Amino acid sequence: MKKFTLFFITLLYLFQIINAQLNPSLRKLFSAVLVGEKLYIYGGFMDNENANAQKTPDYRFFYLDASISFDTSNLPWRAIPDNVKNLPLGSLSSVATGGVAASNGGANNDSIFFFNNEVAKSVSPVLSYNSLDNVWNTQNLSGVKPIGRNQMRAITDNKGKVYLLTGFDFTVQGVKRTDGLFVCDTINLNCVIKDAPLSRLGYGVTLLPNGNLVYIGGGNRNYIPISDGFKVIYLYDPINDKWDSKVTTGNIPPADVGITTVLGLSGDKIILFGGNNGDNNNLYVLDTTNYEWYVPQARGKGPVFKRGEHCANVIGKYMVVTFGSNGVLQSKYRSSGESDVLLLDISNDSEYIWKTSFDPTPLTINSTPSNSKPKANNIGVIVGLTIGIIVLISILSISTLFFIRKYKIYKNSKPIPTPGNVLNNEEIMSIPSDYELSHKKFETLR
Ligand SMILES: *[C@@H]1O[C@H](CO)[C@@H](O)[C@H](O)[C@H]1NC(C)=O
Ligand SMILES: *[C@@H]1O[C@H](CO)[C@@H](O)[C@H](O)[C@H]1NC(C)=O
Ligand SMILES: *[C@@H]1O[C@H](CO)[C@@H](O)[C@H](O)[C@H]1NC(C)=O
C-alpha cells in the first residue's frame, strides 16, 4: 500500500514537471507571428513588476500552442526547446532602444524574420528564426539596411516580402528621410526603400487578397493620433509600386494609435480592434467593397477594458488578441480577471462571437494551401512524443522507486526544486515607457 502511494506521488511530481506551463508577463508593443499552429510571441515592454522577464529568454520568446483546444483561463503557453541556449539576446535590439519588428519569411514560409532598429549598429540588421529546425541565423540582406521598431507593424505578402512603414526621421545610406517603406525580400535576401505618402507609428496594416496593403490609423512621430487616420486610408500596390488613398464613410472610428487590423475571413472586411485613446468601443469594421465603416454585431462576453499596443492574428475562425495595455495602470485587465488572450469568432460576418474556448479544428471554407505539415506527420509526432513521455515516466518512476527502496528515505523526502525561484535574485532593471523612449529617440534624431 505504502509503495503504491509513493509510486503515485512520484508520478504526480513527474507529471507536474513535464506539464509545466509558462506564465509569461504582461506586455505591450511586442510581436506575435503565427507559424503553422504556433503563435510565437517576442519581446515587448513588460510589466514593471516582472522586470526580470526582460532578460529571461523563455519570457522573451515563447509560443501559444494553437494545435489543441484550450480555455482562455488556462493558456497553453509553451517554452521553445533550448531557447535559453539559442536565443541571441545580444544580437536583437532591446526595448530600451526601440525594439524590433518581426514577421513571417523564408523560402518555405517557416521562419520568422527579426528587424533590428537603427540604434543597434554593431549587430546584424536582420536575424531569422527557423521554427522547424529551431535554428537562429544572422541574415545578410543586400541593398539598404532596414529599420524595425516595436511601433512599426511588419507584414509579409505571399511572395515572402516584408513591408515596414516608418513614422520618424532617419538616415538611409547617408540620405535623411522623413518617410519610407522598407521592402525586404526574405527569399532573395535583399532590401529596398520606397517613398511613402504617409509617415506613421502604431498603425494597422492589412494584406488584401489582391496583394495590396491597407494602412489605417496610427500616430505621428510623437505618437499623437492622426485626426483623419481612419477617414483617409492608404493602399499600396506592391506589383506596380503605387500608392492610392481612399476617403471612407460611415461610422468612422475616432483617431487612435496602438491599434490592430486583421482581414475578415470573407476577405472583404478589415476588423479594427483596440487602441490607446479613441472611444470605449473596441471593435470596428471597414467594408473594403465600399470603404464604409460600421460597428459589428458581437455577442458573448467581450473584454471590459479597451486594449492597445496588443497584437491580433487570425487563427482558424478566430481573431486572437494577445496581451496589450489599458492606459497607465497596465494590469487593469489582468487584475479584473480578464485573460491575456481574447478570442473573437469571426466566422459569421453578420455576428461575431466572443469566446473563451479555442477549437483548433481547421476551417474547411476559405481553405488556402498552407505550409503546415500534413496531419499524418503531426499524428506521428504526437504518438511518438506520447510513447516517449510514457517511457520516460516509467523509467524515472522505476528508478525513483528503486532509489527510495534502496536508501529508505521515506521520511525525509524533499520536494523537487522548481526553477521559478531563481528569478528573484536577479537585479531589477527599470523600464522607461515607450513614449519616453520614442520621444528621446526622436529628439536625438533631429
Ligand atoms: C551572414 O554572414 C555571417 C558573417 O559572415 C555568417 O556567419 C552567417 O552565416 C551569414 N548568414 C547566412 C544566413 O548566410
Ligand atoms: C505563411 O505562413 C503564415 C502562418 O502560417 C500564413 O498565415 C501565411 O498565409 C503563409 N504565407 C504563404 C505565402 O503561404
Ligand atoms: C450568422 O448570424 C446571423 C445573425 O445572428 C444568423 O441569423 C445566421 O443564421 C448566422 N449564420 C450562420 C451560418 O450561422
Side-chain angles (χ1 to χ4, degrees), residues 34-37 104 109-110 157-160 314 368-372:
L34 182 70
V35 184
E37 291 165 322
N104 304 79
N109 191 29
D110 54 11
D157 71 7
N158 296 329
K159 298 188 180 92
V314 174
T368 45
S370 93
N371 286 315
S372 56

Side-chain angles (χ1 to χ4, degrees), residues 61-368:
F61 190 40
F62 52 92
Y63 69 92
L64 182 78
D65 184 358
S67 69
I68 55 165
S69 305
F70 63 83
D71 193 274
T72 54
S73 62
N74 186 18
L75 297 164
W77 298 121
R78 301 279 185 253
I80 294 163
D82 297 323
N83 188 48
V84 175
K85 191 178 82 203
N86 293 346
L87 183 67
L89 276 182
S91 300
L92 288 154
S93 297
S94 76
V95 288
T97 64
V100 302
S103 194
N104 304 79
N108 301 316
N109 191 29
D110 54 11
S111 293
I112 303 173
F113 275 65
F114 292 80
F115 299 86
N116 280 324
N117 66 53
E118 73 283 15
V119 182
K121 290 205 163 65
S122 57
V123 296
S124 171
V126 187
L127 281 87
S128 68
Y129 168 76
N130 185 291
S131 64
L132 292 187
D133 306 342
N134 194 25
V135 165
W136 281 88
N137 267 313
T138 52
Q139 291 288 349
N140 311 303
L141 273 59
S142 59
V144 301
K145 177 180 166 180
I147 295 172
R149 292 272 194 98
N150 55 24
Q151 295 149 326
M152 292 161 64
R153 292 247 181 236
I155 191 164
T156 310
D157 71 7
N158 296 329
K159 298 188 180 92
K161 286 184 178 166
V162 177
Y163 299 82
L164 290 160
L165 179 73
T166 64
F168 43 86
D169 298 351
F170 56 99
T171 302
V172 158
Q173 292 182 328
V175 179
K176 285 201 162 140
R177 300 187 66 114
T178 53
D179 65 71
L181 177 74
F182 288 103
V183 183
C184 297
D185 188 328
T186 67
I187 297 171
N188 300 309
L189 300 176
N190 65 65
C191 195
V192 294
I193 187 159
K194 307 276 188 186
D195 291 335
L198 75 165
S199 174
R200 298 278 167 90
L201 294 172
Y203 49 84
V205 58
T206 318
L207 176 67
L208 296 180
N210 66 6
N212 289 352
L213 300 175
V214 185
Y215 284 92
I216 291 180
N220 64 13
R221 55 166 67 176
N222 291 321
Y223 221 55
I224 311 291
I226 302 286
S227 57
D228 64 356
F230 294 108
K231 185 174 182 199
V232 182
I233 62 164
Y234 290 84
L235 279 82
Y236 180 66
D237 168 2
I239 295 167
N240 301 304
D241 183 24
K242 258 189 76 182
W243 284 93
D244 193 8
S245 66
K246 296 270 185 231
V247 177
T248 64
T249 59
N251 199 340
I252 299 169
D256 215 342
V257 285
I259 55 152
T260 53
T261 54
V262 299
L263 185 69
L265 297 177
S266 54
D268 60 0
K269 297 192 171 54
I270 293 174
I271 305 170
L272 166 71
F273 179 81
N276 284 5
N277 311 282
D279 54 8
N280 278 327
N281 184 28
N282 256 323
L283 273 178
Y284 285 90
V285 171
L286 178 68
D287 186 333
T288 59
T289 59
N290 56 9
Y291 294 102
E292 194 176 320
W293 286 100
Y294 65 92
V295 175
Q297 291 292 326
R299 81 180 149 85
K301 193 174 177 296
V304 174
F305 298 104
K306 185 166 181 169
R307 294 191 199 187
E309 301 175 344
H310 54 285
C311 285
N313 299 71
V314 174
I315 308 180
K317 63 179 175 186
Y318 308 94
M319 175 177 81
V320 178
V321 172
T322 39
F323 299 104
S325 69
N326 25 51
V328 186
L329 204 62
Q330 292 180 30
S331 56
K332 213 155 64 177
Y333 81 76
R334 255 196 188 183
S335 49
S336 75
E338 239 164 54
S339 176
D340 289 330
V341 171
L342 302 171
L343 301 172
L344 184 68
D345 181 336
I346 54 170
S347 57
N348 184 347
D349 272 332
S350 19
E351 185 188 58
Y352 299 147
I353 311 171
W354 290 106
K355 290 272 176 75
T356 54
S357 61
F358 179 85
D359 172 8
T361 316
L363 278 181
T364 40
I365 48 148
N366 219 35
S367 68
T368 45

Side-chain angles (χ1 to χ4, degrees), residues 28-29 45-46 48 95-98 150-151 223 309 327-328 330 430-441:
K28 58 177 183 175
L29 289 168
F45 287 93
M46 296 173 197
N48 279 321
V95 288
T97 64
N150 55 24
Q151 295 149 326
Y223 221 55
E309 301 175 344
V328 186
Q330 292 180 30
S430 80
I431 304 156
S433 80
D434 50 299
Y435 178 73
E436 277 166 4
L437 283 168
S438 40
H439 202 68
K440 206 162 88 198
K441 195 84 266 101

